[in-house]
Amino acid sequence: MYNVSKDKAVKIGATTFSELNYKESDIEELLRKNIDMICDEEESMLIVGKQVRNAQHGISDLTAVDNKGNIVLIEIKRDRKDIEGRKEAFEFQAIRYAASYATIEDPEDLVNKIYAPYIEKFRDEFEKGPLTSAELGTRKLMEFLRENGAESNFNKSQKIILVASDFDEQTLSAVAWLNSNNVDITCFKMIPYKIKEEVYINIEKVLPLNTYKDYYVNFLDSPLKTSVQKKGFTRRSLPKIGEMLEWGVVKAGDTIVAKGREDEAILLANGNVEVNGEELSMQKWLKDLFGWNSIQTYVFAVHKETGKTLSQIREEYMEKESEGNI
């Protein structure tokens, strides 16, 4: 990271969470409330547990369910020293916890064992009413699965996310091997910087790696043509609302409706939306409406004028451009 003033660039070095006096629990709470830091607008995720203890007394950091119905285990370490100082390998600890989640039989089982106790612990963050924590958890979880079309796929597989400011070579080597053997495990670096008295965090996905083909597609070919092929085109490189405005497939002033709801917003020229006179990012507006920790923005944003989701409009445009480039 560089601080640029006129024609002079001064490098700003990264720090560590331990130097900032952050505890692992501080990072855990930061991610619990802002899980979209390690998601993007093509994903939905619902946090359902924190510090969950299994039968062997192991304690996992965060538990979530994603838009595919997978139970997601999120394990956090502050810095590389914390990983290297462990007796048990970071990734092996996560695998053991994920194995225990494989025993969750159905949504009701997840609610009873994990989600209801989580709601009870953070009850002030949920809507007030006569429902018990178990009843509220069942309603919210089933709504999340139903809206994402994931009811029939619930917990058919588990996903692991490892988070730290840096990783040791042994952990990365093990994760790369697990990826090559179809274990869904991802590593994210949360790299802190301190500028004056403010803390900035850069998020970097380390594993799984993009293939060389991904980069050839993005840099040597037409992104519109290759994106339709869906080979080597990652979610994080899909065109966003800014590109869609440039294409003219949507325009400022159009009405955006939340999928399955009557709530509406007005699309602005910068890609944000206006709701009741307030400017919000489209993702925040939809997250707040559905009450999820992250959301597939383009799937749940419906263009009122056409009745199509932004995802559908984007795909149709890319298909059309691809056909024109053949």
Side-chain angles (χ1 to χ4, degrees):
M1 185 181 292
Y2 288 84
N3 179 24
V4 178
S5 178
K6 295 183 179 179
D7 59 350
K8 186 176 181 181
V10 178
K11 187 174 183 179
I12 299 171
T15 183
T16 64
F17 285 114
S18 56
E19 288 173 349
L20 294 171
N21 293 318
Y22 273 50
K23 299 176 182 176
E24 186 177 304
S25 58
D26 295 326
I27 305 168
E28 182 181 294
E29 187 65 5
L30 178 65
L31 283 175
R32 186 183 75 83
K33 293 182 175 180
N34 304 276
I35 197 62
D36 49 332
M37 291 177 72
I38 54 173
C39 297
D40 64 17
E41 294 174 315
E42 308 297 333
E43 298 171 295
S44 297
M45 195 175 292
L46 181 71
I47 297 291
V48 297
K50 175 181 177 180
Q51 290 290 299
V52 177
R53 187 182 297 273
N54 64 19
Q56 273 63 50
H57 306 292
I59 301 176
S60 55
D61 292 331
L62 295 174
T63 308
V65 176
D66 70 10
N67 54 284
K68 296 179 181 178
N70 301 318
I71 292 183
V72 184
L73 173 73
I74 302 157
E75 284 298 302
I76 302 159
K77 291 290 176 282
R78 288 187 311 171
D79 303 313
R80 178 171 175 152
K81 285 183 179 179
D82 293 341
I83 297 174
E84 293 176 332
R86 288 184 51 80
K87 291 182 179 179
E88 181 182 45
F90 188 18
E91 72 283 357
F92 183 66
Q93 174 193 27
I95 289 170
R96 283 198 300 107
Y97 294 156
S100 68
Y101 284 129
T103 65
I104 298 291
E105 297 179 357
D106 51 37
E108 183 181 3
D109 197 19
L110 177 70
V111 170
N112 291 335
K113 292 179 179 177
I114 298 174
Y115 197 20
Y118 173 81
I119 291 175
E120 194 67 32
K121 183 175 181 179
F122 299 101
R123 188 71 203 214
D124 59 335
E125 297 180 8
F126 293 85
E127 61 264 34
K128 295 179 175 61
L131 297 180
T132 65
S133 295
E135 290 169 338
L136 180 58
T138 298
R139 192 192 77 186
K140 292 183 72 68
L141 177 59
M142 293 311 298
E143 178 188 44
F144 177 83
L145 293 171
R146 183 175 60 254
E147 294 285 358
N148 285 283
E151 290 174 284
S152 61
N153 292 320
F154 175 74
N155 204 27
K156 286 191 174 179
S157 61
Q158 297 75 45
K159 179 178 179 180
I160 297 170
I161 298 176
L162 304 181
V163 180
S165 67
D166 195 12
F167 291 89
D168 64 300
E169 289 76 11
Q170 283 190 330
T171 298
L172 294 178
S173 177
V175 170
W177 181 82
L178 289 165
N179 283 160
S180 69
N181 284 274
N182 301 316
V183 177
D184 194 344
I185 180 167
T186 303
C187 291
F188 281 100
K189 282 186 181 180
M190 289 180 63
I191 308 169
Y193 295 82
K194 189 171 185 180
I195 303 174
K196 294 181 180 180
E197 295 305 312
E198 294 189 331
V199 175
Y200 295 80
I201 295 178
N202 179 50
I203 306 295
E204 179 184 338
K205 182 181 177 183
V206 184
L207 287 171
L209 291 171
N210 290 333
T211 66
Y212 289 120
K213 184 177 180 180
D214 292 340
Y215 293 103
Y216 294 150
V217 164
N218 290 338
F219 291 110
L220 298 183
D221 212 338
S222 164
L224 296 179
K225 178 180 178 180
T226 54
S227 61
V228 180
Q229 296 172 354
K230 295 187 174 68
K231 294 182 179 179
F233 201 88
T234 63
R235 288 176 303 183
R236 291 178 183 270
S237 59
L238 279 169
K240 304 298 185 184
I241 189 65
E243 287 91 337
M244 294 178 69
L245 284 161
E246 290 179 8
W247 299 341
V249 293
V250 295
K251 61 184 185 298
D254 286 352
T255 300
I256 304 297
V257 183
K259 182 180 178 181
R261 304 195 176 205
E262 296 181 356
D263 303 86
E264 296 183 354
I266 301 301
L267 182 62
L268 302 177
N270 62 2
N272 289 338
V273 293
E274 183 180 309
V275 184
N276 298 324
E278 182 182 5
E279 182 176 342
L280 301 168
S281 72
M282 199 180 305
Q283 186 180 45
K284 176 170 174 50
W285 171 57
L286 291 169
K287 276 172 50 181
D288 291 346
L289 277 179
F290 285 90
W292 304 340
N293 303 96
S294 65
I295 193 164
Q296 291 175 283
T297 303
Y298 298 88
V299 171
F300 286 89
V302 179
H303 186 245
K304 187 174 183 179
E305 285 74 6
T306 62
K308 298 176 181 178
T309 67
L310 295 185
S311 179
Q312 290 172 323
I313 292 172
R314 177 174 60 185
E315 184 172 349
E316 287 176 4
Y317 180 81
M318 292 189 293
E319 289 279 2
K320 180 179 177 182
E321 289 296 308
S322 176
E323 291 170 0
N325 289 328
I326 293 175

